[in-house]
Amino acid sequence: MGKNLVQKIFESHLVNGRLDPQEDIAISIDQTLTQDATGTMTYLQFEALEIPRVKTRLSVSYVDHNMLQTSFENADDHRFLQTFAAKYGILFSRPGNGICHQVHLERFAKPGETLLGSDSHTPNAGAMGMIAIGAGGLDVAIAMGGGPYYLKMPEIVLVKLKGRPHPWVSSKDILLELLRRLTVKGGVGKIFEFGGSGARTLSVPERATIANLGAELGATTTIFPSDEKTHEFLKAQEREKDWISLQPDSDAEYHQVVEIDLRELEPLIAQPSSPDRVTTVTEAAGREVKQVCIGSCNNSSYLDLMSVARILKGKKIHPEVSLTITPGSKQVFEMIARNGALGDLISSGARILESACGPCIGMGLAPPSGAISIRTMNRNFPGRSGTPEDQVYLASPYVAAACALEGSITDPRTLGPKPPPVPMPKKFLIDDSLILPPSSTPEKVAIERGPNIKPLPIRGPLEDSIEGSVILKVGDHITTDHILPAGARVLPLRSNIPAISKHLFERLDPEFFKKAKELGGGFVVGGENYGQGSSREHAALAPMYLGIKAILAKSYARIHRSNLINFGILPLVFESSDEYLRIEQGDQLRITNLRIGLQEGGLLRIENLTQQRPFEVFHGLNSREKEILLAGGLLNYTRNHAKS
Ligand code: MIC
Ligand code: SF4
């Protein structure tokens, strides 16, 4: 039987297990990436492992999220990250060099390799024919120490693209179409492998838009073959030597095949406040727009910004619209500056932001109250932009440019028969001077730690009996932005768990912190796909710090479930939706004989002391996960193993 692309790369990296769906496997990791908002904690954890130098082939530390320096915290974190990277053998991409996923694609992603990143959009690099997975910072720390990455072997879905899209339909619309069909949990436990004649015609940056947005399906990752288009891109990045051809066998098998006929697609748009609330732009047309933000790790490439610049050239944006442009990297920024396109954007009335995550993570540019903001980004979770009750729509750069000109949701096909052509450059501008190599005399490097960098909280082994009340009960699709918001106010506290924990669940219950403190911890109850979205392990670390012992939910998002286990919090699953309905906020729960109960079967018995009745929950933990929980988290588990 022939092999698909995923099987080929997994096979060459397999450390443990069999490549059958649902089997527990471990794969070796060639490359890691971190960004500053997750990086400080990742490196504090790496430090706790007491390993003198990273063991990966390549590890890169990026600074792109916490760029507003309204006080000392972010600047101090940058110094910590820079000195840490120098000492431990990590490349340091300085602030200003660009967004981790865009820079990694340009300079480091390599066909056939594996990448683990402490950011959920790490699959962006799947555009280069590599297995790139987003994970919690502790998993990345372990990988930097030479450990494998553990996961359940996902099902592999072939997404077969047929034909060529009509003018003004872009690669963004391909993934929006998949989100429309499959929803934000349609990819859980799956890897999407793209193929077919329609995939062959897409350039690497177009593929990256798709692979990046695959994270919103809840997928483990997304991958494209490495072919002539990959070769063309790597050559233009002066990295031809990194190219290999990587294709599935002609008789490769898949668990599922999804076909998209690109000729049937039209420009699409995701409505507030979920990436899967997709409709056609025609359907939404006419709604008044007050803000347009072009950029983020989705759609900030040279090709994207050149398209926007060509559309806006010689025109002025609508007087009611504020338009922002964030180039994805220094390479993109400098190229559009040197070729004059930046001048066209400025002349149209655009506000040019530095090359960073910016508005995508609420680092400024919150939209006006009640106003529609059109963004080329990947997430429109409620309140993420910084404005309560925000109205954020997600769409392609073509749609965004049309909206900026017209002041309302506008189908770009009204702008003319075809978008202005933008050819792929034969050669990108290469200047890696903002990527600092590690020190050759690491023993001389002192790590700088500002006052905001607090020691890592660690819990002891799992208790045998836990009791407490349900401090909060929430519904389906609670994102990590609900659990622990990002934005300019909270992000600077990422290296300070005592301070950041004050913001836990604040959007859902402003009293949560106070209650958890008074009660000394307890339980949280959630619905489907609990913990959807980002990889931020702070959404597990802060609950652990406040004494949350278990979450009870209908189902979990992949990365968040691992993060809970990594920090010793039980991710329990309701046996039936009835149980979810019966349990109430404020109920007092007790689990006894937990240590033996965990080891014995798949179910745990919980006493609801308030309602005076027992009920059962499912834990679905494999033997390694049980051991991690019994040890009180992955760090304790790893240290115990290192000693034995
Ligand atoms: C996001 O897009 O939500 C983030 C901010 O990049 C997160 C990481 C973080 O919270 O630091 C992600 O996607 O993992
Ligand atoms: Fe940054 Fe936004 Fe991409 Fe997250 S989704 S890495 S915040 S640009």
Side-chain angles (χ1 to χ4, degrees), residues 32 104-105 163 205 234 272 336 341 374 390 459 464 470 486 585 604:
T32 63
H104 209 83
L105 188 76
L234 281 172
I336 62 169
I374 306 290
D390 55 4
R459 60 161 287 162
D464 198 33
V470 176
Q585 189 162 311
L604 276 181

Side-chain angles (χ1 to χ4, degrees), residues 386-460:
T387 299
E389 316 287 322
D390 55 4
Q391 296 290 309
V392 177
Y393 288 65
L394 308 173
S396 71
Y398 293 150
V399 175
C403 297
L405 287 173
E406 300 301 323
S408 59
I409 297 184
T410 302
D411 191 326
R413 290 172 295 186
T414 58
L415 298 180
K418 270 190 195 157
V422 179
M424 176 70 122
K426 289 263 169 295
K427 195 172 154 346
F428 287 94
L429 192 155
I430 314 293
D431 171 11
D432 289 334
S433 56
L434 288 189
I435 301 174
L436 306 183
S439 168
S440 51
T441 50
E443 62 292 346
K444 295 201 183 127
V445 180
I447 295 174
E448 294 178 27
R449 283 170 224 264
N452 186 44
I453 298 175
K454 293 281 182 273
L456 184 71
I458 294 181
R459 60 161 287 162

Side-chain angles (χ1 to χ4, degrees), residues 200-427:
R200 283 196 285 279
T201 60
L202 297 172
S203 67
V204 168
E206 287 172 311
R207 294 174 182 182
T209 302
I210 293 174
N212 177 296
L213 212 45
E216 304 319 317
L217 291 159
T220 304
T221 192
T222 294
I223 188 168
F224 279 83
S226 172
D227 55 12
E228 264 319 299
K229 292 283 180 191
T230 325
H231 184 247
E232 182 190 10
F233 182 80
L234 281 172
K235 190 166 173 211
Q237 291 285 355
E238 291 181 1
R239 295 208 287 131
E240 212 177 348
K241 64 173 187 352
D242 285 345
W243 185 76
I244 53 165
S245 165
L246 204 55
Q247 301 282 344
D249 292 335
S250 55
D251 55 347
E253 293 194 358
Y254 296 88
H255 300 104
Q256 198 190 335
V257 180
V258 176
E259 278 202 5
I260 302 182
D261 187 342
L262 300 182
R263 288 160 301 201
E264 284 172 8
L265 287 188
E266 53 177 301
L268 297 172
I269 192 161
Q271 307 176 88
S273 289
S274 178
D276 59 0
R277 291 204 59 233
V278 175
T279 187
T280 60
V281 175
T282 346
E283 190 67 37
R287 299 176 201 170
E288 199 187 5
V289 170
K290 288 269 195 291
Q291 186 190 53
V292 176
C293 299
I294 296 175
S296 90
C297 59
N298 208 268
N299 291 131
S300 62
S301 70
Y302 172 84
L303 297 182
D304 288 320
L305 297 198
M306 284 305 294
S307 295
V308 174
R310 292 280 179 261
I311 295 169
L312 298 184
K313 191 178 167 85
K315 300 185 179 136
K316 301 292 175 201
I317 59 169
H318 191 277
E320 291 294 316
V321 172
S322 174
L323 167 68
T324 70
I325 307 273
T326 351
S329 66
K330 173 173 170 289
Q331 180 182 80
V332 173
F333 210 163
E334 199 173 336
M335 283 176 77
I336 62 169
R338 291 191 185 281
N339 72 10
L342 185 62
D344 296 331
L345 291 168
I346 294 171
S347 159
S348 77
R351 300 165 65 176
I352 311 298
L353 306 180
E354 69 174 321
S355 188
C357 298
C360 177
I361 195 56
M363 273 284 169
L365 275 306
S369 303
I372 290 182
S373 172
I374 306 290
R375 300 177 166 212
T376 66
M377 303 169 179
N378 42 34
R379 288 190 172 147
N380 58 348
F381 300 149
R384 180 175 162 98
S385 67
T387 299
E389 316 287 322
D390 55 4
Q391 296 290 309
V392 177
Y393 288 65
L394 308 173
S396 71
Y398 293 150
V399 175
C403 297
L405 287 173
E406 300 301 323
S408 59
I409 297 184
T410 302
D411 191 326
R413 290 172 295 186
T414 58
L415 298 180
K418 270 190 195 157
V422 179
M424 176 70 122
K426 289 263 169 295
K427 195 172 154 346

Side-chain angles (χ1 to χ4, degrees), residues 35 37 64-65 99-102 118-122 212 216 295-298 300 356-363 377-379 384 486 491 534 536:
Q35 38 88 341
D64 51 4
H65 282 63
I99 306 176
C100 55
H101 307 304
Q102 175 66 26
S118 63
D119 191 279
S120 65
H121 293 104
T122 304
N212 177 296
E216 304 319 317
S296 90
C297 59
N298 208 268
S300 62
C357 298
C360 177
I361 195 56
M363 273 284 169
M377 303 169 179
N378 42 34
R379 288 190 172 147
R384 180 175 162 98
L491 272 176
S534 106
R536 67 190 69 144

